[in-house]
C-alpha cells in the first residue's frame, strides 16, 4: 500500500514552492535539448526503414549508421559509436581506455578515484587479469580538493608519460560535487596547457541532457555513457555510446569489434527503434528525473537529513545523495522506494555482493528495463555514513509518489 503521511504532503508542497524557479530552468533546458535532438532526426532523414532489424554481419545497416551520426550531431562531436551490444557503462569506459592507452602509457584520473567498477578495469583492485595494469599501463590519480577539481595539482601531475586523463562528471558513489560541463572544460584547458595532445576522456554517465551542452563541446576527446541511463530515455533496452573526435571514436570502434572492421559491422537485431525513440524521449525523461531529484532533496532536507546537492542548486547529473548516518534508516528508505515501484514492488531489496563493487550494495530498481537507473532507482554501498544515491524517474509524478512514500516510512 502506498501511504503518504500528512506531514510529507506539507513538506512536498513547501519544497515544490521553493523549487518553482528551478523547475522553470529545467523545462527550459529540456526544450533546448529536445530541439537539438529533433533537428538531428530531421537532418538525418530518419524514417521507418531505420528501424529495420539486421542479422549476421549487419552490413549496410542504415539505421545503425544514421544513429551514430545523430549522436555525433546532438553531442556536437565529429563522430559517435552507439551500440546495443555494449553491455553497460563500465564496458563502454573500458572500450575507451583500451582504445587509447598502450603499454608504458600513464592514465591519470583527475577527479579522484574513478567509479568503483573501473578499479578492476584499471587494475587498482581485483586480480588484475586483463586489466590495463596487466598490459603495462600505469595509473596515477589527483584527488579532489574539498570535493572540487584541484586545477593546480592537475597541472603539476600532467607529465610527459601521461597519455590520457579520465574525468568523471557525476558523483558516482561519493559524497562530492558533480563536475559541470564548464568545470570539465576548465580541467581540459588546464591539461592541454601542459600537454596539448593528452587524450581527455569523460565518464558522462548520468550527465547527458542535464545541461544545454555536453563535454564534447568543451574539447573532450571521448565522452562515454550508458544507454540504460539518461540518453536511452527509458526505452533503450541495453547499450552504450561513445562520442568525440573522429580519430578516437575510430580507435574505440576498432576496440569494440576489431581492427579493420570497426563500426562497419554489427547486426542491430531490431534494437534500433528503442535506441532512436529513447534518444527522442531522453531530454524530457532527464528533466523529469532532475525535478524528482530536487524534490527528493527538498523533502529529505526538511526532515533533517544532509543532502547533496542542495534542492535549488544547479545540477550536472540526475543524482540526489542523502546522508542517512544510520544503516537501518537507509535500508528502510531504499526498500520503501522499491515497494512504490511499478515493477517488482513486492520484492524486498537486501544488501548483496554486486560484481565490481568493493562494499555490499543495496539497490532499489523496480524498473521495466532491468537495473535501468533513468527509471527511478535508489542505491547505496553499505558503509558509513550510509549515503543513499537516488536517481531517475520516467515521470515526475511517479517518482514523487515513491519519494513521498519513502519519506513517510521514515516517520514511522
Ligand atoms: C553508472 C556509472 C558507471 C557505469 O556503471 P554501469 O553500471 O556499468 O553502467 C560509470 N561511472 C559512473 C559515474 C556511473 O554513474
Amino acid at each position: 500500500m502506498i501511504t503518504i503521511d500528512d506531514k510529507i504532503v506539507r513538506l512536498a508542497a513547501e519544497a515544490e514552492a521553493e523549487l518553482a524557479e528551478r523547475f522553470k530552468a529545467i523545462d527550459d533546458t529540456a526544450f533546448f535539448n529536445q530541439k537539438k535532438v529533433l533537428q538531428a532526426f530531421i537532418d538525418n532523414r530518419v524514417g521507418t526503414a531505420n528501424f529495420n532489424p539486421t542479422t549476421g554481419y549487419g552490413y549496410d545497416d542504415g539505421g545503425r549508421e544514421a544513429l551514430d551520426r545523430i549522436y555525433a550531431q546532438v553531442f556536437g562531436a565529429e563522430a559517435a559509436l552507439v551500440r546495443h551490444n555494449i553491455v553497460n557503462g563500465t564496458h563502454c569506459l573500458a572500450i575507451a581506455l583500451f582504445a587509447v592507452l598502450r603499454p608504458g602509457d600513464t592514465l591519470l584520473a583527475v577527479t579522484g578515484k574513478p567509479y568503483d567498477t573501473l578499479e578492476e578495469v584499471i587494475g587498482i583492485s581485483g586480480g588484475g587479469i586483463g586489466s590495463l595494469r596487466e598490459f603495462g599501463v600505469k595509473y596515477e590519480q589527483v584527488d579532489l580538493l574539498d570535493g572540487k577539481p584541484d586545477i593546480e595539482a592537475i597541472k603539476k601531475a600532467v607529465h610527459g608519460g601521461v597519455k590520457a586523463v579520465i574525468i568523471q562528471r557525476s558523483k558516482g558513489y561519493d559524497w562530492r560535487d558533480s563536475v559541470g560541463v564548464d568545470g570539465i572544460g576548465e580541467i581540459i584547458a588546464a591539461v592541454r596547457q601542459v600537454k596539448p595532445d593528452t587524450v581527455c576522456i569523460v565518464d558522462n554517465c548520468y550527465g547527458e541532457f542535464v545541461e544545454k551542452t555536453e563535454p564534447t563541446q568543451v574539447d573532450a576527446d571521448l565522452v562515454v555513457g550508458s544507454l540504460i541511463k539518461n540518453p536511452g530515455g527509458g526505452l533503450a533496452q541495453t547499450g552504450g555510446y561513445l562520442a568525440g573526435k573522429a580519430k578516437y571514436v575510430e580507435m574505440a570502434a576498432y576496440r569494440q569489434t576489431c581492427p579493420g572492421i570497426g563500426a562497419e559491422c554489427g547486426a542491430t537485431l531490431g534494437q534500433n527503434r528503442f535506441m532512436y525513440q529513447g534518444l527522442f524521449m531522453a531530454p524530457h525523461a532527464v528533466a523529469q528525473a532532475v525535478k524528482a531529484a530536487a524534490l527528493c532533496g527538498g523533502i529529505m532536507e526538511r526532515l533533517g537529513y544532509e543532502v547533496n546537492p542542495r534542492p535549488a542548486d544547479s545540477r550536472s547529473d540526475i543524482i540526489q545523495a542523502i546522508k542517512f548516518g544510520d544503516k537501518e534508516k537507509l535500508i528502510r528508505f531504499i526498500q520503501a522506494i522499491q515497494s512504490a515501484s511499478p515493477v517488482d514492488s513486492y520484492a524486498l531489496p537486501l544488501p548483496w555482493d554486486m560484481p565490481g563493487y568493493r562494499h555490499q550494495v543495496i539497490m532499489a530498481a523496480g524498473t521495466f528495463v532491468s537495473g535501468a537507473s533513468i527509471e527511478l532507482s535508489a542505491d547505496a554501498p553499505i558503509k558509513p555514513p550510509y549515503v543513499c544515491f537516488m536517481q531517475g524517474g520516467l515521470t515526475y509524478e511517479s517518482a514523487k509518489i515513491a519519494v513521498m512514500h519513502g519519506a513517510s516510512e521514515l516517520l514511522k
Side-chain angles (χ1 to χ4, degrees), residues 8 17 19 99 105-106 118 121-122 130 203 231 245 299 340 383 391 401 408-409:
I8 301 299
L19 288 166
D105 290 344
T106 297
L118 287 183
V121 173
I122 296 168
D203 175 352
K245 312 258 166 81
I299 293 175
K383 63 174 183 193
Q391 60 273 318
I401 291 165
S408 300
E409 282 298 304

Side-chain angles (χ1 to χ4, degrees), residues 271-284:
Q271 290 298 312
N272 280 350
R273 184 170 59 82
F274 300 110
M275 294 193 285
Y276 275 88
Q277 196 178 354
L279 178 65
F280 176 73
M281 295 298 293
H284 181 70

Side-chain angles (χ1 to χ4, degrees), residues 184-218:
I184 291 171
E186 278 171 43
I187 295 174
I188 294 173
V191 168
R192 297 221 191 283
Q193 215 181 312
V194 184
K195 186 168 177 284
D197 64 348
T198 314
V199 185
C200 298
I201 300 170
V202 177
D203 175 352
N204 207 29
C205 285
Y206 284 136
E208 299 89 354
F209 301 126
V210 176
E211 298 187 54
K212 290 180 179 174
T213 54
E214 297 295 338
T216 23
Q217 293 164 284
V218 290

Side-chain angles (χ1 to χ4, degrees), residues 87-91 93 115 117-118 168-173 203-206 226 228-229 319 354 357 373:
V87 305
N88 56 20
T90 307
H91 180 200
L93 285 156
Y115 192 71
T117 57
L118 287 183
Q168 184 179 307
R169 177 171 177 179
S170 150
K171 57 172 71 4
Y173 278 154
D203 175 352
N204 207 29
C205 285
Y206 284 136
S226 163
I228 65 166
K229 293 180 179 173
I319 299 181
M354 209 167 145
Y357 293 85
S373 41

